[in-house]
Amino acid sequence: MSHRSAAGSDASGKGRGSSRNGLERSVPHKNLNGLAPPEKVELKKKVTLLRGISIIIGTIIGAGIFVSPKGILKHSGSVGMSLVVWSACGVLSLFGALSYAELGTCIKKSGGHYTYVLEAFGPRMAFMMVWTDIIAIRPAATAVISLAFGRYILEPIFMPCNVPEVAGKLITAVGITMVMSLNSMSVSWTARIQVFLTISKLTAITLIIVPGMVQLFKGETQNFENAFSLDSIKITSLPLAFYSGMYAYAGWFYLNFVIEEVDNPKRTVPLAICISMTIVTFGYVLTNVAYYTVMSAEELLASEAVAVTFADKIMGNFSMAVPIFVGLSCLGSLNGGLFAVSRAFHVASREGHLPEILSMIHIRRHTPLPAVFVLYPITIIVLFLGDIYSLLNFLSFVRWLNIGIAVSGLIYLRYTRPKMHRPFKVPLFMPVVFSFTCFFMVFLSLYSDPFNTGIGFVIFLTGIPAYYIFIEFNAKPKWLQKLFASMSRSLQILLEVVPPEH
């Protein structure tokens, strides 16, 4: 079945660099001096092992571990059980990440969830995923992590007062603009900055772990007494603790969004995932041990920003540096997430599920500039007008639904395509356990918060009519087709982008 883009153009020429609406390239492969470019216009393989590790660690570790790990403590009921949950969520996330490693090494296309669902379950389900991503999930997620960046970067300036809302949103808008500009200008510099920001957030975690371990070795163990008290453990609330924990580890899947740009993916992807998940899991557990060494469970539950409270108690004047490190950590999550998600939109456009312009590459910088900037206007609108945190509550379950479907696609492909070449293969129990966990969290969301998750589910279901209107419906008026074609040509000229060469 032929697919059609949102602009109504035929997608049968996908992956060949030809225009789907039958038009010639609006922008010739020349630079401004009229000379042919020295290189093929395509996304280059510039993601090395170090950069792959920095993408995974940099997007997993955001503000959560520094600001509010109390959700796990609250729902697990005890210090000891909370540490067990942190460890177990790390292992479960590793199962999911290794399942993605198998998918990424046997399906050598960028795009992450979208690509794997497209391969296993077809275009309709894949379109619903990318539709929900582009209209709601990614703009809201980008705005939230950006707001955290703005808040913590400004906190040392306004201390001891609260950061004014307008100032926070303005610096947030600057941060979003800066990161999107960087991603549109250079893949190499985006990756280098991501490595630097990853080192910064690991430094921040080390600044918490080392003083905490020093206090622990000095005998400050009173907060660990009766750590597994049966009276305080809440069995019925443990699923909510795991939900919070899995959310804290979210981000391990982003390297799969850029598989086509990974150098030697058969080796790099599994190795980067194993190294990153080991570092993050040990870092998270040791950071929480440090928190509990310095603060009691009651103090941690009462804190609005755990890392700041920790620093105030043990670091003195140096504690002012902690909000800056948290801000840089948020900036790393923003940069890595945007780098990865833009490739999903690029691939979806290449497959005919988004406007053709989003599949195009800048003729000199070799970046997917339109796919990077497509989120910018929606994100800025959500930032200044929307109730972002409520929107994330509406849609948090959709992320796990998407990932659960993608991992179940691995199981499906094992049986339907057993002879598919799989350079890296995981034991089947890993994707089974992980996909079950994802679907359990989805149903838990529907049970615990049916109103908010119901709204998110409705937004997800809007992908069904959107698919038939934009992809299946062929009888679009000629004037509308000409308008879309004219807009596409104008944007090509303005942005200096062309379809990638293959």
Side-chain angles (χ1 to χ4, degrees):
M1 183 182 69
S2 64
H3 307 152
R4 295 196 171 258
S5 71
S9 52
D10 186 65
S12 60
K14 66 186 179 185
R16 298 195 298 266
S18 61
S19 177
R20 291 196 298 263
N21 55 17
L23 298 172
E24 298 297 324
R25 293 175 186 269
S26 302
V27 180
H29 284 205
K30 295 181 180 180
N31 60 25
L32 294 180
N33 296 320
L35 300 175
E39 306 179 83
K40 185 187 291 186
V41 180
E42 62 180 356
L43 296 175
K44 306 296 183 181
K45 290 184 176 292
K46 294 187 176 182
V47 180
T48 60
L49 176 61
L50 177 61
R51 290 174 177 177
I53 292 170
S54 71
I55 288 172
I56 297 173
I57 295 178
T59 48
I60 290 177
I61 303 176
I65 188 64
F66 303 109
V67 179
S68 186
K70 60 186 181 182
I72 293 178
L73 175 61
K74 177 182 177 181
H75 295 299
S76 62
S78 72
V79 169
M81 188 56 68
S82 72
L83 295 176
V84 170
V85 171
W86 278 107
S87 303
C89 288
V91 173
L92 283 171
S93 297
L94 178 62
F95 285 2
L98 291 176
S99 299
Y100 262 51
E102 176 178 326
L103 287 166
T105 53
C106 67
I107 303 172
K108 300 178 182 67
K109 291 182 182 179
S110 296
H113 327 317
Y114 167 82
T115 296
Y116 307 142
V117 171
L118 179 66
E119 189 78 16
F121 302 119
R124 291 176 181 81
M125 183 64 73
F127 176 84
M128 290 174 68
M129 285 188 171
V130 76
W131 168 262
T132 311
D133 260 359
I134 202 166
I135 68 168
I137 294 178
R138 298 304 171 185
T142 301
V144 167
I145 194 66
S146 303
L147 274 175
F149 158 75
R151 172 187 169 190
Y152 284 96
I153 285 293
L154 292 177
E155 188 165 303
I157 299 174
F158 288 93
M159 288 177 67
C161 301
N162 293 327
V163 176
E165 183 178 355
V166 173
K169 289 192 174 183
L170 287 175
I171 198 67
T172 295
V174 170
I176 294 171
T177 305
M178 180 175 64
V179 168
M180 290 197 173
S181 298
L182 174 66
N183 273 266
S184 67
M185 291 177 64
S186 171
V187 172
S188 294
W189 274 105
T190 300
R192 289 168 187 162
I193 294 295
Q194 186 66 14
V195 171
F196 166 75
L197 293 172
T198 300
I199 292 172
S200 298
K201 62 181 64 185
L202 290 177
T203 301
I205 285 181
T206 303
L207 289 175
I208 293 171
I209 292 174
V210 172
M213 292 302 104
V214 169
Q215 294 298 312
L216 183 65
F217 292 136
K218 285 182 178 179
E220 297 291 332
T221 59
Q222 62 273 13
N223 293 333
F224 294 98
E225 294 177 3
N226 299 319
F228 290 94
S229 174
L230 296 177
D231 294 335
S232 57
I233 294 176
K234 304 175 181 178
I235 300 296
T236 55
S237 297
L238 273 179
L240 294 174
F242 274 90
Y243 190 93
S244 299
M246 294 298 288
Y247 182 84
Y249 281 97
W252 46 261
F253 41 79
Y254 278 123
L255 184 60
N256 290 67
F257 282 63
V258 297
I259 286 289
E260 293 172 27
E261 296 169 71
V262 176
D263 182 37
N264 190 10
K266 293 179 183 179
R267 172 184 176 272
T268 300
V269 173
L271 198 55
I273 283 172
C274 290
I275 293 173
S276 301
M277 293 309 299
T278 300
I279 291 173
V280 171
T281 302
F282 275 100
Y284 275 7
V285 173
L286 291 177
T287 299
N288 278 275
V289 170
Y291 287 152
Y292 293 133
T293 302
V294 175
M295 295 182 285
S296 66
E298 291 75 17
E299 289 174 318
L300 190 144
L301 289 172
S303 174
E304 291 298 322
V306 179
V308 175
T309 304
F310 175 92
D312 288 339
K313 293 194 69 171
I314 203 167
M315 295 182 183
N317 293 332
F318 189 70
S319 63
M320 292 185 64
V322 172
I324 296 175
F325 276 114
V326 175
L328 290 175
S329 178
C330 296
L331 190 65
S333 293
L334 175 63
N335 184 61
L338 179 63
F339 178 79
V341 168
S342 62
R343 272 58 178 178
F345 299 151
H346 171 82
V347 172
S349 172
R350 195 173 66 194
E351 296 290 342
H353 284 160
L354 289 176
E356 185 184 5
I357 188 71
L358 299 184
S359 67
M360 297 187 186
I361 308 293
H362 195 275
I363 59 175
R364 293 185 304 279
R365 299 189 178 103
H366 299 166
T367 59
L369 191 150
V372 171
F373 269 102
V374 68
L375 285 179
Y376 186 76
I378 309 175
T379 302
I380 295 297
I381 291 171
V382 171
L383 172 67
F384 284 97
L385 300 179
D387 185 352
I388 308 164
Y389 293 98
S390 294
L391 186 59
L392 274 186
N393 289 335
F394 298 156
L395 299 171
S396 61
F397 88 103
V398 180
R399 165 183 278 177
W400 296 112
L401 178 63
N402 289 351
I403 296 172
I405 293 172
V407 174
S408 64
L410 182 153
I411 303 169
Y412 180 75
L413 290 172
R414 285 279 189 95
Y415 289 99
T416 58
R417 297 168 65 179
K419 294 183 179 180
M420 175 186 280
H421 178 57
R422 294 175 171 87
F424 179 83
K425 193 172 181 179
V426 297
L428 193 59
F429 79 88
M430 288 187 178
V432 169
V433 170
F434 183 80
S435 57
F436 173 80
T437 302
C438 289
F439 293 133
F440 178 77
M441 289 191 293
V442 168
F443 288 120
L444 178 67
S445 299
L446 290 169
Y447 173 77
S448 62
D449 192 359
F451 178 76
N452 287 336
T453 53
I455 293 176
F457 192 59
V458 168
I459 294 175
F460 180 74
L461 291 178
T462 60
I464 297 175
Y467 179 82
Y468 287 98
I469 293 171
F470 294 124
I471 309 300
E472 288 289 335
F473 181 58
N474 297 329
K476 294 181 176 67
K478 288 186 177 181
W479 66 266
L480 186 61
Q481 296 181 37
K482 290 181 180 179
L483 175 63
F484 284 143
S486 176
M487 290 173 59
S488 180
R489 284 195 297 268
S490 299
L491 285 172
Q492 276 190 261
I493 295 169
L494 178 65
L495 299 176
E496 297 184 2
V497 294
V498 293
E501 299 176 42
H502 295 280

